[in-house]
Amino acid sequence: MFVELLIICPLVFLAGYVDAIAGGGGLISLPAYMIAGFQVHAAIATNKVSSSMGTTMSTYRYWHKGFVSFRKVLPIVVFSFCGSAIGAQLALLISDLWFKILMLIVLPPLAYYVTKEKDFDKLRMPYKKSKTFVLTALIAFVMGIYDGLYGPGTGTFLLLLLTGVAHLDLEHANGTSKAINLSTNYAAALVFIYNGRADITVGLIAGAFSIFGNFLGARRFERHGGRSVRLPMILVLAVLFIKIIWELCV
């Protein structure tokens, strides 16, 4: 276990730092478990345990700074929690091959959007509260399914969709995405733990590093706001695209 932790913990710390800023930390933490010798389902399950702890920290930081209104997001996280539980059950039953193929179709337009949107953090005309709720709930449910099924890039996708589709400002989109991601992590972790797929000991130890990484990443976002988001998001999308192609080819 010691050698496994030497591989996993530093990468989980880095994943937490990136995830707190722009999401997508799973692109670093999930491969870390696989490099350490975990089978796919065990890697996904144990990663959910550690990432849940880190996301708890970053969500608290965003709430403390006023970026998260639990009165507003609590109804939303019900949708994300249910979606993630469904996705985790599917992950135990089916191959992710077809989902990876779908991602190869979806990722290029997303990368193009991030690259060409010169004022990514600009204020968009907000919708009516009812429309905002419906759009945010739909995004939360769909991304919940994805996060429970596979996961990497969830935070980044949430930021793109909450700002571009639901027209939330960047700060509140980031806070809302953390609350949604927190619920999806816990839902998936509970399903995997119940089915005996997670290494809880390793997950808890790595989770301490995830907490520290998320703490530092959240502080960076508080100080630099949208200026710290664009480049990590583009890198996350590029890495995810290359990673999926590699997995399909080998």
Side-chain angles (χ1 to χ4, degrees), residues 80-92:
S80 56
F81 188 93
C82 293
S84 181
I86 294 171
Q89 291 288 353
L90 291 175
L92 297 172

Side-chain angles (χ1 to χ4, degrees), residues 103 105-116 157 160-161 237:
M103 292 305 298
I105 299 173
V106 172
L107 282 174
L110 288 175
Y112 178 84
Y113 174 80
V114 176
T115 303
K116 296 300 181 181
F157 298 147
L160 285 169
L161 294 170
L237 293 175

Side-chain angles (χ1 to χ4, degrees), residues 180-240:
I180 292 173
N181 210 176
L182 180 64
S183 68
T184 59
N185 281 338
Y186 274 110
L190 290 172
V191 171
F192 289 130
I193 290 173
Y194 178 78
N195 286 275
R197 298 301 182 95
D199 187 324
I200 299 177
T201 301
V202 173
L204 291 176
I205 295 174
F209 287 81
S210 181
I211 288 174
F212 189 43
N214 272 272
F215 174 77
L216 294 181
R219 287 187 62 185
R220 175 181 171 82
F221 182 83
E222 291 162 12
R223 293 174 179 175
H224 300 284
R227 288 176 295 171
S228 62
V229 171
R230 183 190 294 273
L231 180 59
M233 290 180 72
I234 294 173
L235 292 176
V236 163
L237 293 175
V239 170
L240 180 55

Side-chain angles (χ1 to χ4, degrees), residues 145-199:
I145 294 176
Y146 168 68
D147 196 36
L149 178 64
Y150 187 56
T154 298
T156 303
F157 298 147
L158 282 169
L159 273 180
L160 285 169
L161 294 170
L162 290 174
T163 55
V165 177
H167 285 196
L168 298 182
D169 64 82
L170 182 58
E171 285 76 14
H172 287 90
N174 213 329
T176 301
S177 71
K178 290 296 176 289
I180 292 173
N181 210 176
L182 180 64
S183 68
T184 59
N185 281 338
Y186 274 110
L190 290 172
V191 171
F192 289 130
I193 290 173
Y194 178 78
N195 286 275
R197 298 301 182 95
D199 187 324

